[in-house]
Amino acid sequence: MAATTSASSVSTYNENGVSNPPQYPLQVAKRLEKFKTTIFTQMSMLAVKHGAINLGQGFPNFDGPEFVKEAAIKAIKEGKNQYARGYGVPDLNTAVAARFKKDSGLVVDPEKEVTVTSGCTEAIAATILGLINPGDEVILFAPFYDSYEATLSMAGAKIKSITLRPPDFSIPINELKNAVSKNTRAVLMNTPHNPTGKMFTREEMDILASLCIENDVLVFSDEVYDKLAFEADHISMASLPGMYERTVTMNSLGKTFSLTGWKIGQQLQQLFRAPDSYYEELKKDYEAKKAILVEGLKTVGFVVYPSSGTYFVIADHTPFGLNNDVAFCEYLIQEVGVVAIPTSVFYLNPEDGKNLVRFTFCKDEETLREAVKRMKQKLKVLV
């Protein structure tokens, strides 16, 4: 076999002299080499291939409220279709500040302390890239939303993780105290927590806050599921004494209004003025969906861990005899017709999550019942 090389590609020829497709050298930056196609894409592709019910990725299979869609249509028809101010149009920033005051009691300056981004993932990236220098130490709580590690790697951060473990996924306080030091630049937290559904307790947050104040540490607080808090009131980290000036609070409209595909909403200040009854009905609806999934999973034979917020639940798959979470999820899709997400991808050490899988209940009740039915029919607990 002969080969010719150039600066940009390698061409090979088989024994018949026919050129094979060129092979290009790896061009991804070294800091991102470990990050492949996301697990959500992989599982969703398998779901389509096998006709499986997708209880993996956290997007609703039902539409958002009419008043939101009508507001968007109205804005488009009124000609609000050109460049907006980079950090948000004034009315929207004011509405964000008003909602934050109503929820947390904090008064923020809409012109100096509010920035509008295209979804919370952009807010996370902007915060990390804007405040973290190469070599800065950032603490995560594992398991964590997968974009955290990728974005921190882009910033050249030194990542340290503290693992939250079942059954209650509480913060190991002694480990936290040993981890936070003068070398720590920031702690990136998420409450209510994806993927576990845990809500940080006031005691946990007070201890974290005191450590951050003592060591002059920033907190990046991802609170996108704040309106999906079922068993306790959501606490915003910025509202704790001494934390306002060192906390960046990040939030989103997509989860709250079931419109996860909308990443630009600079004209939709009406959303922040939604009546309290909307949020009450939202929680009531999700509590009913959660009950269907949780009780169904327990009946099937999963060990299901408590979820106080978000629209996710974590379950132990080991009663069914598969070696790890990825193998179980592949089996679940191919043989049962239901999608879950393996949680090992949410840890710095994948071994910490190999026994756990994540399900979502942000689906209509008929879909949830059908998924449970399939699992009851085809999953068998090993005795």
Side-chain angles (χ1 to χ4, degrees), residues 5 62 87 164 171-172 196 235 326 334 361:
T5 63
F62 48 85
Y87 59 95
L164 310 178
I171 296 177
T196 67
I235 302 170
V326 175
Q334 295 167 8
F361 50 89

Side-chain angles (χ1 to χ4, degrees), residues 336-372:
V336 181
V338 175
V339 181
I341 293 295
T343 68
S344 57
V345 300
F346 302 137
Y347 295 81
L348 291 184
N349 178 11
E351 286 292 303
D352 288 337
K354 70 176 184 178
N355 293 337
L356 306 175
V357 294
R358 189 193 78 178
F359 291 92
T360 183
F361 50 89
C362 60
K363 311 296 176 182
D364 61 67
E365 293 188 9
E366 181 181 355
T367 298
L368 293 171
R369 294 185 196 281
E370 175 60 25
V372 170

Side-chain angles (χ1 to χ4, degrees), residues 119-191:
C120 192
T121 300
E122 183 183 327
I124 293 165
T127 299
I128 291 172
L129 294 174
L131 295 173
I132 298 300
N133 290 307
D136 282 351
E137 179 184 279
V138 178
I139 294 175
L140 298 177
F141 294 100
F144 44 75
Y145 177 47
D146 61 344
S147 80
Y148 293 172
E149 185 185 1
T151 308
L152 287 169
S153 296
M154 288 176 64
K158 177 184 176 183
I159 304 171
K160 181 185 292 186
S161 75
I162 295 174
T163 301
L164 310 178
R165 302 186 186 279
D168 59 0
F169 298 100
S170 60
I171 296 177
I173 298 301
N174 288 336
E175 188 177 341
L176 177 67
K177 290 179 178 178
N178 290 332
V180 179
S181 70
K182 299 294 183 182
N183 296 323
T184 306
R185 170 63 171 166
V187 174
L188 175 49
M189 62 177 290
N190 172 211
T191 184

Side-chain angles (χ1 to χ4, degrees), residues 122-369:
E122 183 183 327
I124 293 165
T127 299
I128 291 172
L129 294 174
L131 295 173
I132 298 300
N133 290 307
D136 282 351
E137 179 184 279
V138 178
I139 294 175
L140 298 177
F141 294 100
F144 44 75
Y145 177 47
D146 61 344
S147 80
Y148 293 172
E149 185 185 1
T151 308
L152 287 169
S153 296
M154 288 176 64
K158 177 184 176 183
I159 304 171
K160 181 185 292 186
S161 75
I162 295 174
T163 301
L164 310 178
R165 302 186 186 279
D168 59 0
F169 298 100
S170 60
I171 296 177
I173 298 301
N174 288 336
E175 188 177 341
L176 177 67
K177 290 179 178 178
N178 290 332
V180 179
S181 70
K182 299 294 183 182
N183 296 323
T184 306
R185 170 63 171 166
V187 174
L188 175 49
M189 62 177 290
N190 172 211
T191 184
H193 184 263
N194 174 17
T196 67
K198 170 192 169 53
M199 294 182 64
F200 286 27
T201 66
R202 180 61 189 251
E203 180 184 6
E204 289 172 327
M205 294 180 70
D206 281 340
I207 292 171
L208 175 58
S210 66
L211 290 170
C212 290
I213 294 169
E214 178 185 346
N215 292 283
D216 193 21
V217 175
L218 301 176
V219 173
F220 304 153
S221 185
D222 178 351
E223 302 178 15
V224 298
Y225 296 100
D226 65 328
K227 294 297 185 292
L228 296 176
F230 303 117
E231 297 167 13
D233 291 334
H234 170 72
I235 302 170
S236 185
M237 176 57 87
S239 68
L240 271 58
M243 291 306 295
Y244 179 82
E245 61 271 21
R246 66 178 65 253
T247 302
V248 178
T249 304
M250 302 171 288
N251 212 316
S252 170
L253 298 175
K255 305 298 190 297
T256 303
F257 293 96
S258 303
L259 294 163
T260 58
W262 286 23
K263 293 299 182 185
I264 303 295
Q266 296 216 352
Q267 304 296 342
L268 301 183
Q269 56 268 22
Q270 295 96 323
L271 274 64
F272 290 99
R273 301 185 180 113
D276 290 342
S277 59
Y278 171 77
Y279 301 108
E280 292 165 4
E281 288 299 317
L282 179 75
K283 286 206 293 186
K284 188 182 300 182
D285 181 51
Y286 270 119
E287 284 173 337
K289 297 178 190 299
K290 176 184 172 184
I292 292 170
L293 179 61
V294 169
E295 293 309 312
L297 292 174
K298 289 179 178 178
T299 301
V300 171
F302 287 94
V303 177
V304 183
Y305 294 111
S307 172
S308 299
T310 76
Y311 43 52
F312 301 112
V313 293
I314 291 287
D316 189 327
H317 67 82
T318 54
F320 304 101
L322 276 296
N323 290 334
N324 57 58
D325 57 330
V326 175
F328 176 79
C329 286
E330 290 175 347
Y331 176 85
L332 191 66
I333 293 172
Q334 295 167 8
E335 303 299 329
V336 181
V338 175
V339 181
I341 293 295
T343 68
S344 57
V345 300
F346 302 137
Y347 295 81
L348 291 184
N349 178 11
E351 286 292 303
D352 288 337
K354 70 176 184 178
N355 293 337
L356 306 175
V357 294
R358 189 193 78 178
F359 291 92
T360 183
F361 50 89
C362 60
K363 311 296 176 182
D364 61 67
E365 293 188 9
E366 181 181 355
T367 298
L368 293 171
R369 294 185 196 281

